[in-house]
Amino acid sequence: MERTLSIVKPDGVSKNLIGEVIKRFEENGLKVVGLKMISMDKKEAEGFYAVHRGKPFFESLTTFMSSGPSVVMVLEGEGAISKTRELMGATDPKQAKEGTLRCQFATNIERNVVHGSDGPETAAFEIGYFFNALEIFSP
Ligand code: CDP
Ligand code: MG
């Protein structure tokens, strides 16, 4: 069973989309095995997105991600990483397939509602960034 880390970003939380995002994952066979609401400070957002340090969008992205509460979750299931990313849609909502969360709900390429890990190594790092072993409930 694969695990991935997803986040309902601050724009998603303020648009009342927490339930919508979780429902989409659950309906598609993913199991929520860890869940919490957090509020990242700037440093925590910078640490989470460290791979993007130096990119033109880094400053704005980390300011946005520390602008309010987020909901972080660990999802488990067969092919959880790619399934989550499929349900999210492309980073830029203009490129996102119809029916995906980002196509339906994102404001723009930055405020795109939801995060999902992009590979096994990133998933392991990102899950560990927010959750310890006692906060993950898997049979
Ligand atoms: O989230 P995803 O893996 O689809 O995209 P990314 O390339 O890993 O970028 C991380 C996040 O940075 C995106 O989800 C956007 O919120 C933001 N971003 C941005 O503001 N402008 C870009 N040109 C690319 C990404
Ligand atoms: Mg990414």
Side-chain angles (χ1 to χ4, degrees):
M1 272 304 158
E2 192 170 65
R3 285 181 184 170
T4 192
L5 188 278
S6 180
I7 305 178
V8 184
K9 296 183 180 184
D11 61 324
V13 172
S14 65
K15 288 177 172 176
N16 283 357
L17 292 171
I18 299 170
E20 186 69 39
V21 172
I22 293 176
K23 179 163 156 253
R24 200 67 62 90
F25 293 149
E26 289 186 331
E27 277 175 354
N28 285 277
L30 293 163
K31 187 144 200 78
V32 178
V33 296
L35 180 72
K36 57 178 129 178
M37 185 176 258
I38 58 152
S39 184
M40 278 183 250
D41 65 24
K42 187 76 158 63
K43 285 271 169 293
E44 288 164 341
E46 287 171 3
F48 180 73
Y49 277 121
V51 291
H52 292 307
R53 191 179 283 280
K55 294 191 183 153
F57 59 83
F58 183 75
E59 181 55 32
S60 177
L61 169 65
T62 52
T63 297
F64 160 56
M65 290 300 288
S66 56
S67 67
S70 303
V71 171
V72 292
M73 71 191 91
V74 182
L75 300 169
E76 192 174 77
E78 226 166 279
I81 295 170
S82 61
K83 192 177 275 187
T84 299
R85 290 197 61 98
E86 240 169 72
L87 296 167
M88 284 160 47
T91 312
D92 182 352
K94 290 192 227 112
Q95 319 286 328
K97 277 198 200 128
E98 218 170 302
T100 60
L101 288 163
R102 283 166 165 175
C103 175
Q104 284 182 270
F105 302 117
T107 304
N108 56 42
I109 193 170
E110 178 181 86
R111 290 165 194 254
N112 59 6
V113 176
V114 63
H115 168 85
S117 311
D118 67 2
E121 283 100 54
T122 13
F125 165 77
E126 292 177 355
I127 290 167
Y129 198 77
F130 295 117
F131 291 88
N132 67 48
L134 296 174
E135 297 171 318
I136 297 172
F137 301 89
S138 178

